[in-house]
Amino acid sequence: MTPQESRSSSQIGVKRLLSENFSCTFFNSNPQVWDSSFKKHEKLVGEVMELFEKSLKKPKCITEYPLTLDDTIKGKADIVCEDADGYVYIVEVKSTQIHRVRFQDLLQLMLYVYMYSMNKGVPLDRIKAYLVYRYVNIRELKVSPYIIHITGDIKRTLLNIVQYIADRQKTVSSGINKTGNRSLYIVTDLCKICINNNCPFKAS
């Protein structure tokens, strides 16, 4: 195994890290639902990237931008753009509708912002963070992206939280902080697409 492969195997993905800390550990996804969501996600990413490319000054945009942090955390931001003025735009796109905003989605976006800042040495105030959901206009039967700019006190608070999560994961990976496996059934909006028939909430 090469040093690069060793580092990769010891890293935990952003989504998995947040899932292990905030989601139901017994969630079992429906492959058909996931496939449909993936197609919606890819389409929305393309639409959102086009919007940013049209609105920014001489932008350079990349999808599936790879990020790592201290050889412990890895992930891919949906869209990362840089403009001519030196600002960076990090965009996390969700295939779900706007009324299904999750705290975990905000943390995922902010982990990407923090990781980018640490990797590139870009000050956090030069990085703009956006979360995108699907908005369905019932009257016009039209689906469009709903873009949320995360800024101000909310951004600062979320960055404090993800820095704590990243620091804690570093101690877990190094063996300083050993934690047991968390096994909890948690009721979330994902329950409707979960196919784990052993769940006590489904049986009730």
Side-chain angles (χ1 to χ4, degrees):
M1 180 181 291
T2 66
Q4 183 176 1
E5 288 172 335
S6 178
R7 285 196 299 271
S8 179
S9 63
S10 65
Q11 292 173 329
I12 184 171
V14 167
K15 292 180 181 179
R16 180 182 166 192
L17 173 63
L18 294 175
S19 179
E20 288 183 354
N21 284 276
F22 296 97
S23 296
C24 178
T25 51
F26 295 97
F27 173 70
N28 191 354
S29 62
N30 185 325
Q32 292 180 336
V33 173
W34 242 216
D35 183 60
S36 174
S37 296
F38 177 77
K39 291 177 181 177
K40 291 176 183 177
H41 179 265
E42 291 295 290
K43 183 176 183 294
L44 195 59
V45 167
E47 293 175 359
V48 173
M49 185 166 174
E50 186 177 340
L51 289 173
F52 274 83
E53 287 177 329
K54 287 181 178 179
S55 62
L56 300 180
K57 182 180 178 182
K58 296 180 179 179
K60 295 179 181 178
C61 296
I62 300 174
T63 58
E64 293 292 298
Y65 190 97
L67 293 164
T68 60
L69 182 65
D70 298 325
D71 294 330
T72 58
I73 305 173
K74 62 182 178 181
K76 291 183 179 180
D78 283 328
I79 303 171
V80 174
C81 296
E82 299 176 5
D83 69 10
D85 296 321
Y87 282 97
V88 178
Y89 303 76
I90 297 181
V91 187
E92 175 60 23
V93 179
K94 297 298 177 185
S95 60
T96 50
Q97 294 185 43
I98 179 61
H99 64 275
R100 291 180 180 169
V101 176
R102 297 188 304 160
F103 180 59
Q104 191 171 318
D105 299 340
L106 293 164
L107 294 181
Q108 182 182 350
L109 170 63
M110 285 304 147
L111 266 171
Y112 294 147
V113 170
Y114 180 68
M115 292 164 74
Y116 187 97
S117 176
M118 296 297 288
N119 284 345
K120 301 292 187 178
V122 177
L124 289 166
D125 60 0
R126 303 290 292 182
I127 303 176
K128 298 181 182 292
Y130 296 87
L131 196 55
V132 181
Y133 292 88
R134 292 168 61 243
Y135 172 73
V136 180
N137 188 320
I138 303 298
R139 292 182 179 178
E140 299 179 8
L141 297 177
K142 181 181 178 182
V143 179
S144 58
Y146 191 100
I147 302 174
I148 307 171
H149 183 194
I150 311 300
T151 187
D153 290 340
I154 295 177
K155 180 182 178 183
R156 285 187 287 272
T157 300
L158 290 169
L159 283 169
N160 287 336
I161 295 172
V162 299
Q163 184 173 358
Y164 168 78
I165 292 172
D167 290 344
R168 182 177 180 277
Q169 184 58 32
K170 190 189 302 184
T171 64
V172 171
S173 297
S174 64
I176 297 174
N177 180 13
K178 293 290 186 180
T179 58
N181 293 329
R182 181 180 71 89
S183 296
L184 292 173
Y185 285 101
I186 300 176
V187 177
T188 72
D189 60 333
L190 294 177
C191 289
K192 66 178 66 176
I193 61 171
C194 178
I195 57 175
N196 183 354
N197 293 322
N198 293 321
C199 174
F201 295 109
K202 280 185 173 291
S204 61

